[in-house]
Amino acid sequence: KQEVTQIPAALSVPEGENLVLNCSFTDSAIYNLQWFRQDPGKGLTSLLLIQSSQREQTSGRLNASLDKSSGRSTLYIAASQPGDSATYLCAVPPHSGGSNYKLTFGKGTLLTVNP
Amino acid sequence: ETGVTQTPRHLVMGMTNKKSLKCEQHLGHNAMYWYKQSAKKPLELMFVYSLEERVENNSVPSRFSPECPNSSHLFLHLHTLQPEDSALYLCASSQDLPNTEAFFGQGTRLTVV
C-alpha cells in the first residue's frame, strides 16, 4: 500500500528566503508525481507534474526533483513571497496493483511566508 | 481557473435533507473523480468515473450517490448525512486515468447540522 509523507508539516520563513519542501513515498513503482498548492478552504491547483522518467521539472520560481529509487521528491521555491503562503501537497498514482485510479496524497506542508 | 467548476461553493444541510453537488469540466477529459478532504487528514478518494462508467467506489457509504450523465458532468447526491460527513468535497478530472495530470475544482464546503 502506497504511503506518502510530507515533511515538515508546517514551515514559516521570512520573505525572500529559498526553501525546500519534502515528499517521500514508500512504493517507488510510480508513473509520475504531482505537486499541488491549496489555499485555505479552496481547491487544489496543479503546480508541477514529474514523469517517472524525469529527474526534475521547473516552472518559474518552482523546481521539483524526483528520485524514484529512493522514493523522494523535493519542491524548491526560490525567493519566496507572501503570496506563496499555502498548503503544498504531493500525490502519486499507483503503477500497478490494487486500485489503478487512486492518487495517494500526503498530508501537506503548510507554508507561511512572512513579509 | 482550472477548468473544473463546482457548485455550490458552500452548503449547509440538515441530516434529513437531500442535496446534490455538481461538477463540470471544460477540459475534454475522460475521467472524473470525487474526493473528500476532512480536517487533519489526507484527501480520500471516493468515486472515479472513466468515460461515464463508474470504475471505483472506495467503500463509500450509500448515503453518497454519484452520477455521471456525460463525460463533462459529475454529481454527488447526498441524503441522510451525518455531522461527521462535514468536509470539503473536491471534484477532479484527468485526460485518462491518474497517470495524467489531475485538475481540481474549488470544492464545496459541506456542513451537516
Side-chain angles (χ1 to χ4, degrees):
Chain A
K1 177 188 173 188
Q2 179 74 271
E3 293 182 5
V4 177
T5 303
Q6 291 187 246
I7 295 173
L11 180 64
S12 182
V13 301
E15 182 176 4
E17 193 162 297
N18 302 325
L19 58 100
V20 175
L21 307 180
N22 297 292
C23 172
S24 62
F25 44 95
T26 54
D27 185 349
S28 61
I30 61 170
Y31 275 117
N32 57 54
L33 183 143
Q34 197 166 353
W35 281 95
F36 295 89
R37 168 192 173 134
Q38 185 175 31
D39 292 293
K42 300 286 184 65
L44 278 64
T45 300
S46 179
L47 297 173
L48 291 162
L49 181 144
I50 313 178
Q51 300 293 347
S52 60
S53 58
Q54 296 176 309
R55 296 285 292 184
E56 63 178 59
Q57 275 279 16
T58 298
S59 176
R61 294 183 292 108
L62 305 179
N63 176 278
S65 68
L66 176 64
D67 184 344
K68 209 174 76 161
S69 61
S70 65
R72 289 187 296 184
S73 176
T74 61
L75 180 67
Y76 175 83
I77 302 177
S80 58
Q81 303 170 358
D84 295 330
S85 298
T87 297
Y88 290 81
L89 297 152
C90 67
V92 294
H95 187 280
S96 62
S99 165
N100 291 320
Y101 306 85
K102 183 180 179 180
L103 268 178
T104 301
F105 282 84
K107 291 185 177 181
T109 294
L110 175 60
L111 172 65
T112 303
V113 180
N114 301 300
Chain B
E1 180 60 53
T2 63
V4 181
T5 304
Q6 289 186 243
T7 55
R9 292 293 308 279
H10 302 273
L11 178 62
V12 179
M13 60 185 289
M15 289 189 284
T16 58
N17 290 159
K18 290 184 179 181
K19 296 287 185 183
S20 296
L21 309 185
K22 179 182 176 182
C23 177
E24 183 175 359
Q25 58 98 357
H26 311 278
L27 302 168
H29 288 167
N30 297 326
M32 296 187 76
Y33 313 77
W34 280 116
Y35 282 85
K36 176 183 178 181
Q37 188 177 35
S38 304
K40 309 293 186 184
K41 294 174 69 175
L43 272 79
E44 303 169 64
L45 179 66
M46 299 176 71
F47 302 104
V48 182
Y49 278 81
S50 178
L51 295 172
E52 302 150 47
E53 179 182 341
R54 190 192 310 182
V55 294
E56 178 123 354
N57 178 342
N58 233 29
S59 302
V60 179
S62 60
R63 56 186 184 270
F64 295 91
S65 174
E67 179 189 1
C68 188
N70 56 62
S71 59
S72 299
H73 293 85
L74 184 66
F75 295 90
L76 187 62
H77 303 300
L78 316 171
H79 66 96
T80 325
L81 294 192
Q82 305 298 311
E84 59 265 29
D85 296 322
S86 299
L88 182 67
Y89 288 84
L90 292 163
C91 173
S93 71
S94 65
Q95 180 60 42
D96 199 12
L97 305 178
N99 305 333
T100 55
E101 190 172 5
F103 294 84
F104 282 75
Q106 289 298 299
T108 294
R109 171 65 64 185
L110 174 67
T111 303
V112 181
V113 298

